[in-house]
Amino acid sequence: MSGRTPLMAANWKMHFTVDEAVALVEELNRGITRFDDREVVVAPPFTALAEVASALADSPIRLAGQNCHWESQGAYTGEISPPMLRHLGCDYVIVGHSERRQYFGETDESVNRKILALLEVDLGSIFCIGETLEERQAGKTLDVLAKQLRGGLEGLDEEQAGKLVLAYEPVWAIGTGHTASPEQAQEAHAFVRDNLAKRFNNAVANHMRILYGGSVKPDNVDELMAQPDIDGALVGGASLKAASFTRIVDFEE
Ligand code: 13P
């Protein structure tokens, strides 16, 4: 037993109007039964956060933002700050998602600034790392993960690291239907945990939840979750329907 509570997170990306988001979260609230031994998080688009937060007022489902800026306020048109997300009732913010790295210029440095800014207002990051197909084929997967960890966690102390969640999301598996095999995912997760032990200490590494993301579906979640270093899932496509995300949350041990 790892002692880590599994964390099952839905990343809705750029989907759903406010009404659609509230309807889905209400369906999840009715359908999910396994709240006692697992943590469930939804990350709606910014526009739906306030209404989803109200709909979840009496629910154990927790709320995450999908991104943030590192400043707490200022002339940054179109940006959203960590205190704003805190005040809406978020517990986490997804940081460094590969779609943000790929399409919006997110770098290890900006990821690091965001993680530090979120810690300032006591918000946890779901810090995403992962290699592209080209990097995997060139045998560089572990080097890429090490570099992203080093850059993203720059300047954090052990206590701060203890508040994070990591997500390993191989870019080639996101939205493609190609899931990493349980062995491929386990190898990456074990490497990440070992890296955290060296960078911080064993206690931080053993406590850290490392989620797998990349085409997690009802039919592969059980074998992924059976791996010793996979502590949860960050789910895109299959989190957009109540039935499939409910089945993922209710993974069989
Ligand atoms: P998919 O589950 O659609 O592959 O998306 C994974 C992801 O990017 C979650 O953040």
Side-chain angles (χ1 to χ4, degrees):
M1 287 295 286
S2 73
R4 297 181 289 272
T5 304
L7 194 164
M8 311 308 277
N11 176 7
W12 291 346
K13 306 191 181 183
M14 197 173 72
H15 292 280
F16 302 140
T17 61
V18 175
D19 291 353
E20 289 164 345
V22 168
L24 176 53
V25 90
E26 283 174 345
E27 216 178 323
L28 291 175
N29 213 12
R30 285 193 300 271
I32 296 173
T33 53
R34 299 291 298 267
F35 287 117
D36 51 329
D37 60 352
R38 51 205 67 180
E39 188 178 341
V40 182
V41 173
V42 293
F46 290 136
T47 44
L49 276 172
E51 294 279 344
V52 170
S54 303
L56 291 180
D58 298 318
S59 165
I61 298 178
R62 304 175 86 181
L63 203 57
Q66 294 181 14
N67 179 36
C68 68
H69 191 45
W70 55 81
E71 295 290 347
S72 53
Q73 59 181 0
Y76 301 101
T77 302
E79 293 293 323
I80 305 284
S81 76
M84 292 172 184
L85 295 172
R86 182 91 189 109
H87 284 278
L88 275 174
C90 288
D91 286 305
Y92 299 101
V93 176
I94 299 171
V95 177
H97 192 282
S98 68
E99 287 150 14
R100 300 228 47 98
R101 294 178 190 259
Q102 220 177 331
Y103 307 131
F104 303 102
E106 188 90 273
T107 62
D108 292 337
E109 195 202 342
S110 59
V111 166
N112 179 243
R113 293 174 84 165
K114 292 178 182 190
I115 290 174
L116 289 167
L118 288 162
L119 284 165
E120 289 281 311
V121 292
D122 209 24
L123 274 177
S125 302
I126 300 178
F127 166 32
C128 303
I129 58 174
E131 81 287 359
T132 61
L133 182 59
E134 209 177 21
E135 289 162 342
R136 175 163 282 268
Q137 287 172 339
K140 293 186 186 154
T141 297
L142 303 184
D143 292 342
V144 169
L145 299 182
K147 177 180 168 294
Q148 291 174 335
L149 284 170
R150 198 166 50 245
L153 300 176
E154 175 82 36
L156 267 76
D157 63 26
E158 287 152 11
E159 195 189 330
Q160 290 171 314
K163 295 185 178 154
L164 305 184
V165 173
L166 266 163
Y168 168 60
E169 297 208 313
V171 179
W172 48 272
I174 295 177
T176 58
H178 299 298
T179 320
S181 68
E183 296 73 26
Q184 283 173 321
Q186 168 57 26
E187 184 197 17
H189 283 228
F191 172 81
V192 170
R193 202 176 302 287
D194 187 52
N195 186 290
L196 293 168
K198 292 188 178 116
R199 164 74 170 78
F200 298 102
N201 58 37
N202 281 336
V204 168
N206 290 333
H207 166 82
M208 182 84 70
R209 285 172 301 174
I210 308 174
L211 317 184
Y212 169 78
S215 298
V216 176
K217 308 281 179 212
D219 63 3
N220 59 26
V221 66
D222 298 341
E223 56 179 5
L224 287 162
M225 289 303 295
Q227 300 301 311
D229 287 295
I230 300 185
D231 308 313
L234 183 53
V235 188
S239 75
L240 302 178
K241 291 261 182 333
S244 57
F245 188 60
T246 301
R247 170 63 184 87
I248 288 170
V249 171
D250 288 350
F251 70 89
E252 313 262 340
E253 286 163 288

